[in-house]
Amino acid sequence: AGVFLSSYAKKLTTFILFYAIMFGSGVGLAYTAPMVAGWKWLPQQKGLVSGIILTGFGAGGFFFNLIGTNLVNPSGFDVVNGKFPDAVYENFPNMLRKLAVIYASLQLIGALLVSEPTQKPANQDVNPAAALVAPPAQATGVSIVEALQTSQFWLMWLMIVSSASAGLNVAAVYKQFAANAPALTGDGYQALVGGIGALCNGFGRLFWGSLSDKIGFKTSFISLTLLQALLHLVYPFSASTKMSFLAATGLCFFCLAGNFALMPPATQRVFGSRNGASIYGLLYSAFAAASIGGLLLSKTLTASLGWDGIFKVLAALSLVAAGVGVN
């Protein structure tokens, strides 16, 4: 609904309300239900479950990046003096409506496929009838209010903001950065970079989620943030060729995926299963803060520091996240 309604927006504030807030909130809620159901099916492999579900979430960006580009710019027009031809902008509302119909259809099918395991007797000697009326095992964990009063919650919130700011910033400005590099021109090429980035985002969620099951959250997160810091230090130099820029951007998306994949199972382990999903919903606000704050930071520093300076600042934020993770 948010995508469809945003196609009729005539003002930026209205578009933000429908697309950024309404659609964004729906996206955040959409994968929580299958994730919680998946945790119940495989309670000992929460990282793997989160990774698989978020892989699908991220891979969707690959397909819809290509679909959206084809709908809005079927002729493959390139930017001229910072703008696309008028025909591209005229296609934008219709693109949103078509995407909204596709999203609604796929979401309905997905919702019908989500289920939770039914309780079964622990062994064959147990009376099945008695097992069916036995009270279910009580979920453990703290309340939402109690979680908000812990230092762990706010440290995790700070870790997300510091680390995700880097990856989300690249996801938002890689086209703008590429448009200023003579070797990276072409809307078709830039759409390909976004598509490959989405695939790396999807695969990264599976990788980091599985890794956290094997070596733990802390080691996984520190490895992620150190790799991310290194990538942002060298990212400006990747603009020399299309291949190096494609590889660097894909790796940035791969690291961004880890922020999304590592936090849900960690939240469940730290705060318990009773309210783990709801508490993660509150933690998810850190991604919004990282997205908005990172972009404002980039916009503010572009004139004074240039692209090199911006990516150094983002690398430093990744190191801050690693430092918090150590503690």
Side-chain angles (χ1 to χ4, degrees):
V3 176
F4 188 82
L5 292 172
S6 67
S7 69
Y8 293 98
K10 302 298 182 182
K11 297 180 179 179
L12 179 60
T13 52
T14 308
F15 184 81
I16 291 174
L17 173 64
F18 289 133
Y19 195 87
I21 298 177
M22 188 174 178
F23 176 51
S25 299
V27 168
L29 293 171
Y31 68 76
T32 301
M35 189 179 298
V36 173
W39 286 343
K40 293 179 179 178
W41 283 101
L42 297 170
Q44 303 304 319
Q45 295 176 293
K46 291 184 173 68
L48 175 63
V49 170
S50 301
I52 291 173
I53 292 171
L54 293 172
T55 293
F57 181 83
F62 169 75
F63 297 105
F64 284 102
N65 184 59
L66 298 179
I67 292 171
T69 299
N70 187 62
L71 290 174
V72 76
N73 189 8
S75 300
F77 293 120
D78 291 330
V79 174
V80 178
N81 296 325
K83 290 185 177 181
F84 283 102
D86 291 341
V88 174
Y89 299 106
E90 292 169 0
N91 289 334
F92 187 70
N94 196 40
M95 176 202 70
L96 291 176
R97 291 164 200 152
K98 290 179 179 178
L99 288 176
V101 172
I102 297 172
Y103 293 158
S105 302
L106 293 177
Q107 288 167 0
L108 177 60
I109 295 171
L112 295 174
L113 295 175
V114 176
S115 65
E116 296 183 358
T118 56
Q119 287 192 330
K120 296 181 180 180
N123 56 62
Q124 297 300 320
D125 296 328
V126 177
N127 185 340
L132 289 174
V133 299
Q138 295 297 314
T140 59
V142 301
S143 68
I144 296 175
V145 174
E146 289 171 335
L148 291 173
Q149 294 173 344
T150 64
S151 60
Q152 291 99 322
F153 178 90
W154 296 107
L155 284 173
M156 293 175 74
W157 197 90
L158 178 60
M159 289 162 68
I160 294 173
V161 171
S162 301
S163 179
S165 292
L168 289 170
N169 200 282
V170 169
V173 304
Y174 75 90
K175 274 195 171 185
Q176 181 183 351
F177 177 68
N180 293 307
L184 306 177
T185 57
D187 189 54
Y189 165 73
Q190 293 167 16
L192 174 64
V193 171
I196 297 299
L199 280 181
C200 293
N201 190 359
F203 172 72
R205 297 179 191 218
L206 177 60
F207 173 85
W208 292 109
S210 301
L211 186 66
S212 69
D213 283 334
K214 296 177 180 178
I215 66 174
F217 168 77
K218 179 178 285 189
T219 304
S220 300
F221 185 79
I222 293 172
S223 301
L224 161 70
T225 47
L226 292 178
L227 174 59
Q228 186 170 254
L230 177 61
L231 281 171
H232 281 76
L233 286 175
V234 303
Y235 192 72
F237 302 101
S238 71
S240 57
T241 68
K242 288 186 174 181
M243 186 58 68
S244 60
F245 181 72
L246 177 63
T249 304
L251 286 171
C252 287
F253 274 84
F254 176 78
C255 289
L256 171 62
N259 294 283
F260 289 97
L262 293 176
M263 287 301 172
T267 305
Q268 193 86 344
R269 295 186 185 110
V270 172
F271 299 108
S273 59
R274 181 158 60 99
N275 294 301
S278 299
I279 294 169
Y280 176 67
L282 295 175
L283 268 178
Y284 197 86
S285 64
F287 287 105
S291 179
I292 296 172
L295 287 175
L296 290 177
L297 183 66
S298 290
K299 189 174 182 179
T300 303
L301 298 178
T302 299
S304 58
L305 298 180
W307 287 109
D308 287 2
I310 289 172
F311 287 114
K312 287 179 181 177
V313 170
L314 295 175
L317 285 175
S318 294
L319 293 177
V320 169
V324 176
V326 169
N327 297 322

